[in-house]
Amino acid sequence: MPEGDTVWQTARRLHTALAGKVLTRSDLRVPKYATADLTGRVVLDVTPRGKHLLTRIEGGLTLHSHLRMDGSWKVYATGQRWSGGPAHQIRVILGTADRTAVGYRLPVLELLRSTDEDRAVGHLGPDLLGPDWDPDKALENLLRDPARPLGEALLDQRNLAGIGNVYKSELCFLLGVTPWLPIGELPAHRAAQLPALAKKLLEANRDRPARSTTGRRDQNLFVYGRTPRPCLRCRTPIRSADQGDGSRERPTYWCPACQAGPTPPGTTPPRGAAQRRMSPRRTTN
């Protein structure tokens, strides 16, 4: 699932393949930009911004893309067979003399003036992997609505940019609270840990082929995608439920014994879990 670390890796691959090179092929398969021709222009850089990608091109242009759930960018050498999906899923092709970048299933693709980039990404909060990272501002944004469930607040890219559904679930586990806990009820010492912990997880994974939050070789994630397998800490079966603000429901995972706080209707915590103390826990990785 593309999150901040995945997008950072994608930007690095695209930058290595395209930056400083002249485009010899340009094909934007979106009706609004079908006649746009970028051939002959130099790619200046490819920059990640949260979950967004900004490909800056000579002449003051920026190609803005977003992967969301299923999108991907693939880079191929000359003569290499393309393998990212069927041709009808291709949204953009950018080619140079020796590399071709192909964007598959991109739900967001727009060609902007570089001076208008804020129109696409100006709403984002501090980027966990970006030069604008500001932990104090991120925490201030998160706590602005104290009644909001923690999981929803973490996914709101206006608060901090780069967290998706995987890191949401894993962060809540490491903080020892459920994703449905109102963020204003998160103990102060844990709230203070949150921005640094989130950054630590994404930074640790931006150079890894396989994402890991556990520091273990046998299991990469604590809770995400692990229903109904046992918790790595207490052996209680991991549970899952949808969480969302009404616009979109996302599968969310938690350990009902290790994580304190409210849970969705119809889920019953193990006996004694509701009275568990919210004691500090050591985080890994």
Side-chain angles (χ1 to χ4, degrees):
M1 181 178 296
E3 303 196 18
D5 53 343
T6 305
V7 174
W8 192 93
Q9 292 172 10
T10 301
R12 183 172 60 179
R13 286 196 302 272
L14 290 172
H15 183 87
T16 299
L18 303 176
K21 299 178 182 179
V22 177
L23 290 174
T24 58
R25 182 177 182 182
S26 163
D27 186 358
L28 275 63
R29 300 182 180 181
V30 178
K32 184 176 180 180
Y33 306 109
T35 60
D37 185 6
L38 302 174
T39 57
R41 298 175 186 257
V42 175
V43 176
L44 303 178
D45 68 75
V46 182
T47 298
R49 182 74 174 87
K51 299 182 186 180
H52 299 251
L53 285 162
L54 302 172
T55 303
R56 299 186 178 110
I57 301 167
E58 182 183 26
L61 296 176
T62 296
L63 188 65
H64 166 231
S65 59
H66 195 296
L67 306 180
R68 290 194 179 161
M69 293 292 291
D70 300 317
S72 68
W73 278 93
K74 303 292 185 181
V75 175
Y76 303 103
T78 301
Q80 184 179 358
R81 181 180 177 183
W82 297 2
S83 57
H88 72 267
Q89 294 182 347
I90 296 174
R91 296 293 175 264
V92 58
I93 302 170
L94 298 177
T96 69
D98 62 347
R99 292 288 186 274
T100 302
V102 184
Y104 292 89
R105 300 172 298 279
L106 299 175
V108 175
L109 185 71
E110 56 179 344
L111 189 61
L112 310 168
R113 288 286 175 189
S114 296
T115 52
D116 293 334
E117 284 180 7
D118 271 0
R119 183 165 65 82
V121 297
H123 66 287
L124 299 175
D127 185 348
L128 282 154
L129 295 178
D132 69 317
W133 173 243
D134 182 340
D136 294 333
K137 180 62 176 175
L139 184 58
E140 177 186 339
N141 291 345
L142 286 165
L143 295 176
R144 186 173 293 127
D145 183 358
R148 193 175 192 185
L150 174 59
E152 292 180 21
L154 288 172
L155 287 182
D156 190 335
Q157 303 299 295
R158 296 170 297 181
N159 292 332
L160 69 173
I163 292 176
N165 218 33
V166 177
Y167 282 119
K168 175 196 78 172
S169 294
E170 295 296 294
L171 279 166
C172 289
F173 177 83
L174 290 169
L175 291 168
V177 297
T178 70
W180 291 270
L181 181 79
I183 192 167
E185 296 179 20
L186 186 65
H189 70 281
R190 295 196 184 177
Q193 291 177 339
L194 198 162
L197 179 58
K199 183 174 179 61
K200 180 179 180 181
L201 290 181
L202 266 71
E203 280 192 334
N205 283 289
R206 68 183 183 184
D207 294 316
R208 289 176 175 165
R211 182 182 293 145
S212 176
T213 60
T214 64
R216 296 172 52 154
R217 294 184 178 181
D218 61 328
Q219 180 62 53
N220 287 336
L221 301 174
F222 282 110
V223 292
Y224 187 85
R226 298 195 65 249
T227 305
R229 286 174 285 175
C231 173
L232 298 180
R233 285 185 171 149
C234 72
R235 310 306 293 172
T236 300
I238 298 298
R239 297 186 183 179
S240 64
D242 286 336
Q243 181 180 31
D245 58 7
S247 61
R248 184 177 183 181
E249 299 294 325
R250 300 190 186 219
T252 300
Y253 301 84
W254 80 102
C255 172
C258 290
Q259 293 173 253
T263 56
T267 59
T268 304
R271 182 174 299 177
Q275 288 74 43
R276 186 184 59 80
R277 293 182 58 194
M278 300 175 86
S279 57
R281 61 170 72 249
R282 181 178 64 85
T283 60
T284 61
N285 200 28

